[in-house]
Amino acid sequence: TVSYAQFLYPTNALVRQKSISVLESCTAQTPQCRVRANGQKGSTAARPNSGTAQDPYIEEVGEYDPNLLSDPRWPCGRHKRVLIFASYVTTVIEYVKPSDLKKDMNETFKEKFPHIKLTLSKIRSLKREMRAVSEECGLQPVTIAMAFVYFEKLVLQGRLNKQNRKLVAVACVLLAAKISSDLRKPEVKQLIDKLEERFRINRRELIPLEVSVLVALEMGLYLPESKVMPHYRRLVQQG
């Protein structure tokens, strides 16, 4: 296997600018490096070309953890406690409005990941939509799991926002379907039609974004089993 990852540079391709186009042109720029207080070196995202306010730095993330955003032990505020035993998981919740639980969970998530522009509830909602439309199109659970990995990697990089979240989710499903399934041209067209209808997006914006997502993932579409299997097991268990 030949890798060309060393020739790629981080860009702001997935950050929506205040312009007519959904995304800035995917032009790679040499990143500047900054040294953190603890001595670690992290790369910064490329600066926007427009005269608008500069986007915050995209935080450098470590090794991808497939259980991070799906962990049932994720803190959900002071009202909820999750207890995991050898053969079952139980949750103890005092009487409180569901809206308060959701608010506490999102606030805790924002404190831990300030560079992520989406709430945890919105991230999980998008994943449910990705799974639903994938199952409607007959995609296998392993394909859906791969799409989840692509999507969560981009989320943890801080590349998603309210404007591009649906397009990125659709692009992840499309890339996973192409790389893991032997789809013919009519089947790909049918999948795009279904994604366009379900997420209410325009394919004219989707096709260019597919390349930007591919670059943001550093062409790493073939995933190790350790990254895919946790998502696959959850999908199979949830039926």
Side-chain angles (χ1 to χ4, degrees), residues 137-177:
C137 296
L139 299 182
Q140 297 297 321
V142 66
T143 303
I144 305 174
M146 293 176 64
F148 282 177
V149 175
Y150 302 156
F151 181 73
E152 289 189 356
K153 281 187 173 182
L154 298 174
V155 167
L156 294 173
Q157 291 176 15
R159 296 182 180 273
L160 271 72
N161 53 44
K162 291 182 179 180
Q163 289 74 31
N164 66 11
R165 67 186 191 276
K166 291 185 178 180
L167 281 170
V168 174
V170 170
C172 291
V173 174
L174 188 58
L175 286 173

Side-chain angles (χ1 to χ4, degrees), residues 21-217:
S21 61
V22 178
L23 297 171
E24 287 290 340
S25 60
C26 183
T27 303
Q29 300 181 11
T30 304
Q32 298 177 350
C33 295
R34 58 190 174 95
V35 180
R36 299 178 180 176
N38 59 3
Q40 296 179 352
K41 185 174 70 173
S43 60
T44 64
R47 305 295 181 84
N49 295 328
S50 60
T52 58
Q54 294 179 349
D55 294 312
Y57 292 121
I58 296 178
E59 294 292 334
E60 181 183 7
V61 294
E63 182 69 16
Y64 168 71
D65 182 5
N67 297 313
L68 181 60
L69 300 181
S70 303
D71 193 344
R73 290 173 293 186
W74 181 260
C76 298
R78 61 183 180 276
H79 309 288
K80 182 175 180 179
R81 183 180 297 276
V82 179
L83 305 177
I84 298 182
F85 299 97
S87 58
Y88 65 95
V89 178
T90 184
T91 305
V92 180
I93 309 176
E94 61 182 89
Y95 182 74
V96 66
K97 294 181 179 179
S99 58
D100 292 339
L101 289 176
K102 180 180 178 180
K103 181 179 179 181
D104 289 345
M105 179 184 68
N106 289 330
E107 288 178 351
T108 306
F109 180 78
K110 185 64 177 179
E111 292 175 359
K112 187 171 182 180
F113 301 101
H115 67 285
I116 297 180
K117 303 176 183 64
L118 299 180
T119 61
L120 181 59
S121 59
K122 179 58 66 177
I123 293 170
R124 291 179 173 178
S125 175
L126 285 169
K127 289 174 62 179
R128 287 193 296 269
E129 290 292 327
M130 292 168 64
R131 177 185 180 182
V133 70
S134 298
E135 291 178 344
E136 289 177 7
C137 296
L139 299 182
Q140 297 297 321
V142 66
T143 303
I144 305 174
M146 293 176 64
F148 282 177
V149 175
Y150 302 156
F151 181 73
E152 289 189 356
K153 281 187 173 182
L154 298 174
V155 167
L156 294 173
Q157 291 176 15
R159 296 182 180 273
L160 271 72
N161 53 44
K162 291 182 179 180
Q163 289 74 31
N164 66 11
R165 67 186 191 276
K166 291 185 178 180
L167 281 170
V168 174
V170 170
C172 291
V173 174
L174 188 58
L175 286 173
K178 288 181 178 180
I179 202 68
S180 65
S181 305
D182 187 16
L183 298 180
R184 299 182 179 180
K185 186 175 181 180
E187 296 172 330
V188 174
K189 183 179 182 301
Q190 182 180 4
L191 176 60
I192 294 176
D193 291 339
K194 195 69 176 180
L195 292 170
E196 188 178 27
E197 177 185 357
R198 184 63 175 264
F199 284 88
R200 298 179 181 178
I201 53 96
N202 193 325
R203 68 181 61 197
R204 294 180 180 178
E205 300 173 341
L206 172 62
I207 303 304
L209 185 74
E210 187 179 359
V211 179
S212 300
V213 170
L214 186 61
V215 172
L217 294 171

